[in-house]
């Protein structure tokens, strides 16, 4: 087995996910040696660390403006992930240039992380779909499964350790036939386009059919009023909300992807200040979930089932529990 393959296999178990706990090169060499087959020089190992840290598909990343290495966030497995947030027309423009695809996928990962962080700072709780839109998943899932579902708890308060649910209000809502939470199905796209906005919109509409509402989030601002009017017209007719985050592609390129979710409070505040979040059109919420569609989807999709397992565990514990992805 080659040295690179051995490193690819062993580094994920050694490296920390948090850049703040990055391991310096000398210590990493010591830890890696205990797992390697073969006698490799320190120089060879340092060379491979350096080369692999520049590869977005490798498990090792280097701290920016500092020393040490940490575990890279999971890479997007194939172009199905890219299609989550880019219409087919935009992917055709990217083509098969590996560098262009790397940039596109990196932007997608960053926008997903930003939306996750933005939601969490507003006491909303995103649930990510991974295998449903990953390698080997049915292409039809793009019209069934959103990029994420954001859970809004109707009763509760944040504290130092998490988010406590209000048991009394939850029981009251249940007694009158109302759920203690709302589910927003969110579709993420990078750049709005007049020719392709209908495809973006109706995909967002399709994947939200089993939730309380559908949302279409764009990273980029809307470039012209004609496009804004077209989207508002669709939103007014079908009820899908539309929001832009005011992030240009250049702004996304400048953000360090791995630091977004691990940012400290001051760093998170600085990141939020860079956003220009604008509500283009409101969503039209439904009071009840489509239980018939939902039950069928739960039976065929384990991640949808796990979403409701997480919700049920949170209700039982009277606080929002950590998510467990299988």
């Amino acid at each position: 087995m080659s040295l690179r393959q051995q490193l690819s296999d062993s580094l994920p178990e050694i490296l920390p996910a948090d850049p703040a706990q990055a391991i310096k090169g000398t210590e990493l060499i010591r830890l890696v040696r205990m797992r390697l087959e073969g006698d490799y020089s320190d120089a060879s190992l340092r060379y491979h660390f350096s080369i692999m840290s520049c590869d977005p598909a490798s498990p090792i990343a280097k701290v920016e403006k500092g020393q040490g290495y940490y575990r890279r966030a999971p890479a997007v497995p194939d172009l199905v992930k890219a299609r989550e947030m880019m219409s087919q027309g935009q992917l055709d423009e990217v083509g098969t240039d590996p560098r262009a695809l790397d940039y596109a996928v990196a932007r997608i990962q960053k926008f997903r992380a930003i939306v996750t962080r933005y939601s969490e700072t507003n006491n909303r709780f995103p649930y990510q779909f991974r295998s449903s839109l990953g390698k080997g998943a049915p292409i039809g899932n793009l019209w069934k499964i959103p990029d994420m579902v954001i859970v809004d708890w109707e009763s509760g308060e944040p504290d130092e350790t998490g988010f406590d649910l209000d048991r009394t209000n939850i029981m009251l809502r249940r007694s009158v036939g109302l759920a203690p939470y709302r589910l927003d199905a969110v579709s993420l796209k990078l750049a709005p386009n007049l020719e392709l906005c209908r495809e973006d919109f109706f995909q967002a509409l399709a994947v939200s059919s089993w939730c309380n509402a559908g949302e279409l989030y764009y990273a980029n601002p809307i470039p012209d009023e004609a496009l804004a009017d077209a989207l508002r017209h669709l939103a007014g007719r079908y009820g899908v909300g539309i929001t832009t985050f005011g992030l240009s592609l250049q702004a996304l390129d400048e953000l360090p992807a791995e630091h977004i979710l691990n940012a400290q409070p001051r760093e998170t505040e600085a990141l939020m200040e860079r956003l220009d979040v604008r509500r283009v059109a409101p969503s039209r919420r439904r009071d009840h979930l489509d239980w018939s569609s939902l039950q069928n989807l739960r039976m065929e999709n384990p991640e949808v089932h796990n979403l409701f397992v997480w919700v049920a565990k949170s209700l039982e514990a009277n606080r929002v529990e950590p998510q467990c992805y299988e």
Side-chain angles (χ1 to χ4, degrees), residues 125-127 161-163 306 309-311 313-314 317 319-325:
F125 300 89
Y127 179 88
T161 59
F163 192 88
N306 288 340
V309 169
W310 170 52
V311 168
K313 286 182 177 178
S314 297
R319 64 185 291 105
V320 179
E321 291 284 277
Q323 296 180 34
C324 294
Y325 292 99

Side-chain angles (χ1 to χ4, degrees), residues 269-307:
E269 185 178 350
L271 175 62
M272 295 301 106
E273 289 177 352
R274 297 182 66 169
L275 305 181
D276 183 16
V277 181
R278 299 196 179 191
R279 193 68 159 151
V280 178
S283 60
R284 190 159 57 240
R285 295 185 180 276
R286 298 176 284 273
D287 289 335
H288 301 282
L289 302 175
D290 184 343
W291 284 108
S292 177
S293 299
L294 178 56
Q295 287 297 89
N296 291 333
L297 200 55
R298 283 182 60 199
M299 292 177 63
E300 70 179 50
N301 189 295
E303 285 194 306
V304 176
H305 174 74
N306 288 340
L307 163 64

Side-chain angles (χ1 to χ4, degrees), residues 32-277:
V32 162
R33 281 197 185 283
M34 293 188 288
R35 297 169 178 257
L36 292 180
E37 296 180 1
D39 186 17
Y40 299 98
S41 67
D42 288 3
S44 180
L45 292 174
R46 288 185 186 278
Y47 172 79
H48 276 76
F49 294 161
S50 178
I51 292 298
M52 292 176 69
S53 68
C54 298
D55 181 357
S58 77
I60 182 172
K62 190 176 187 301
V63 173
E64 294 187 14
K65 299 180 180 179
Q67 296 182 343
Y69 297 92
Y70 61 96
R71 186 171 68 247
R72 192 186 303 275
V76 176
D78 61 11
L79 286 184
V80 173
K81 275 290 186 182
R83 278 199 63 189
E84 294 174 48
M85 303 179 206
M86 300 176 70
S87 69
Q88 185 58 55
Q90 288 169 307
L91 279 181
D92 288 342
E93 291 175 6
V94 170
T96 57
D97 178 359
R99 181 167 296 184
L101 289 173
D102 284 345
Y103 275 119
V105 170
R107 289 165 178 166
I108 287 165
Q109 290 176 309
K110 291 176 185 180
F111 185 44
R112 175 186 292 274
I114 287 167
V115 171
T116 298
R117 207 74 177 104
Y118 176 78
S119 301
E120 291 172 345
T121 58
N122 287 282
N123 295 317
R124 308 181 74 201
F125 300 89
Y127 179 88
Q128 311 279 351
F129 289 93
R130 299 181 178 184
S131 60
S132 299
L133 298 168
K135 188 174 184 178
I139 197 69
N141 279 2
L142 291 171
W143 295 86
K144 293 180 181 179
I145 306 298
D147 294 292
M148 64 176 67
V149 163
I150 295 179
V151 182
D152 282 312
W153 292 96
E154 298 287 359
S155 301
E157 292 291 337
D159 60 24
E160 293 181 356
T161 59
F163 192 88
D164 284 333
L165 303 178
D166 187 325
R167 185 176 181 83
T168 301
N169 281 341
I170 286 174
M171 293 177 64
L172 179 60
R173 290 186 64 84
R174 283 179 158 177
S175 70
V176 295
L178 295 175
Y181 54 82
R182 299 193 315 269
L183 304 182
D184 284 355
V186 178
S187 293
L188 304 172
K189 304 289 180 182
L190 288 178
N193 181 296
L194 185 59
E195 295 180 359
L196 302 170
C197 67
R198 291 179 64 85
E199 180 182 343
D200 294 344
F201 183 89
F202 284 110
Q203 188 181 37
L205 177 64
V207 300
S208 67
S209 62
W210 50 279
C211 292
N212 295 106
E215 296 285 349
L216 176 56
Y217 287 176
Y218 281 111
N220 290 188
I222 295 179
D224 60 69
E225 195 58 32
L227 175 54
D229 286 342
L231 288 169
R232 288 191 192 101
H233 175 76
L234 290 170
R237 184 171 182 180
Y238 296 102
V240 173
I242 300 170
T243 300
T244 62
F245 280 70
L247 289 167
S248 66
L249 297 182
Q250 180 180 355
L252 284 171
D253 291 341
E254 292 172 353
L255 290 172
E258 294 83 359
H259 293 181
I260 296 172
L261 294 178
N262 296 316
Q264 298 301 312
R266 288 185 179 179
E267 296 171 324
T268 298
E269 185 178 350
L271 175 62
M272 295 301 106
E273 289 177 352
R274 297 182 66 169
L275 305 181
D276 183 16
V277 181

